[in-house]
Amino acid sequence: MEKLAGTPTALGTAQLSIQAPIPAKEDFVNRFKWILKPRLAGNVAIATVAGLAVIYAIPDSGSDSNPVEIALSRVATFAAPTNLDNARVDSWIKTFSTVPKVKDRFALWLDRKSTYEPMISAKLAERDMPQDLIYLAMIESGFNPNAKSPAKAGGLWQFISETGQRYGLTVNKRVDERNQPAKATDAALSYLSDLHDRFGSWYLAAAAYNTGENRVARIMRQVTGSEKGTDADYYRISSLLPRETREYVPMMIAAARISKDPAKYGFDAGDVTMTE
């Protein structure tokens, strides 16, 4: 993921640097190896569905679940009805809800979600940002604030140190605020807001968060003649995006659909049975 090398708000002319880049020789599947690979525990969960995903286990964040319901009105929705019906969304729903080991892992994500949802939802509401952006954190880290990637990205929102520092986080040998959920959320929402200002679409903002602003901007200019676009433009340019990024938004929408009605997709409290 590419990030701005200038100030957080200087989107138009800022020089860009790299945030959690995708290695050139790695396939889309490799991104999810570190997301779900056990580091503190010895469990390994591997599932392959239609050549889409190989998914491993993330270590528990150490926080007990604390379900809290927040009623938030006047909040934008992230997923448009037309995109909810996209075939890639349906494929990820099937993966998350029917492959046993993947389903177990997703159930753990749902359990962790109740710990962080009140804080993230409140911050999204304060900024009048879509509530469903919470699912970006879900697919980035599985709501594990201590998650780390091979690219040395860390925390709920998977910032590399340079980008975290640019957005106000202290990252050094003694302190790493990427692992502090509230502060990391403030930084991530500021970055996503900047991306939305640049591209005019939350789907395009998510794509840029994943694959980099330069790439999304270049493809948008190539296909539409403008960097700014709509959510529908994400699917218009999808074939030109890296495979990982083509799946990124559909994964988020699938996670949102399942999370909003877990029982419909076969999830219940008894699904979280893995020992961390």
Side-chain angles (χ1 to χ4, degrees):
M1 291 181 279
E2 292 179 355
K3 301 294 184 181
L4 296 173
T7 60
T9 56
L11 285 166
T13 59
Q15 182 181 359
L16 300 178
S17 62
I18 300 299
Q19 158 74 5
I22 304 169
K25 294 184 179 179
E26 290 192 0
D27 190 67
F28 154 75
V29 163
N30 291 336
R31 168 183 177 78
F32 301 99
K33 286 184 178 179
W34 77 262
I35 290 181
L36 295 166
K37 183 177 181 180
R39 297 181 184 277
L40 301 180
N43 298 326
V44 176
I46 305 175
T48 302
V49 176
L52 280 175
V54 178
I55 302 186
Y56 298 75
I58 298 182
D60 197 313
S61 64
S63 299
D64 292 330
S65 298
N66 180 23
V68 179
E69 293 184 359
I70 290 185
L72 295 169
S73 60
R74 299 176 61 253
V75 180
T77 52
F78 183 58
T82 53
N83 290 330
L84 287 173
D85 293 331
N86 185 270
R88 300 307 315 133
V89 176
D90 295 336
S91 179
W92 278 108
I93 288 175
K94 183 177 181 180
T95 299
F96 288 142
S97 62
T98 65
V99 180
K101 291 182 179 180
V102 180
K103 184 177 179 182
D104 284 346
R105 189 51 41 188
F106 195 89
L108 179 59
W109 294 0
L110 288 173
D111 188 58
R112 291 178 183 159
K113 175 174 173 274
S114 64
T115 299
Y116 300 105
E117 183 175 26
M119 178 272 292
I120 296 174
S121 293
K123 290 181 180 294
L124 287 167
E126 288 170 3
R127 295 169 179 252
D128 198 25
M129 294 173 71
Q131 285 293 302
D132 284 3
L133 287 172
I134 190 174
Y135 300 106
L136 189 149
M138 177 181 259
I139 67 170
E140 284 285 350
S141 69
F143 292 118
N144 177 9
N146 298 313
K148 294 187 186 224
S149 77
K152 298 184 179 179
L156 283 180
W157 300 90
Q158 290 298 287
F159 277 115
I160 63 168
S161 59
E162 179 187 349
T163 306
Q165 290 168 339
R166 188 177 309 123
Y167 278 82
L169 300 178
T170 299
V171 182
N172 56 44
K173 292 182 179 179
R174 293 168 52 180
V175 178
D176 190 345
E177 292 183 340
R178 295 176 301 171
N179 298 329
Q180 297 183 23
K183 290 183 178 181
T185 296
D186 287 335
L189 299 192
S190 291
Y191 183 64
L192 284 165
S193 180
D194 286 346
L195 290 174
H196 182 264
D197 287 345
R198 180 173 184 176
F199 294 106
S201 155
W202 290 114
Y203 286 6
L204 293 174
Y209 191 99
N210 173 251
T211 196
E213 297 139 87
N214 272 342
R215 176 176 282 143
V216 172
R218 181 176 65 251
I219 295 174
M220 280 293 293
R221 290 193 299 268
Q222 175 184 338
V223 175
T224 72
S226 171
E227 287 186 3
K228 280 190 176 285
T230 66
D231 289 346
D233 286 323
Y234 169 80
Y235 287 106
R236 288 184 64 190
I237 70 171
S238 179
S239 64
L240 299 177
L241 293 169
R243 187 179 178 190
E244 175 185 332
T245 311
R246 293 200 302 269
E247 304 290 347
Y248 195 72
V249 169
M251 281 185 69
M252 291 175 62
I253 300 171
R257 288 181 65 180
I258 295 171
S259 298
K260 290 172 183 178
D261 192 359
K264 177 179 178 181
Y265 299 98
F267 288 88
D268 57 45
D271 286 324
V272 184
T273 58
M274 299 177 65
T275 302
E276 296 300 318

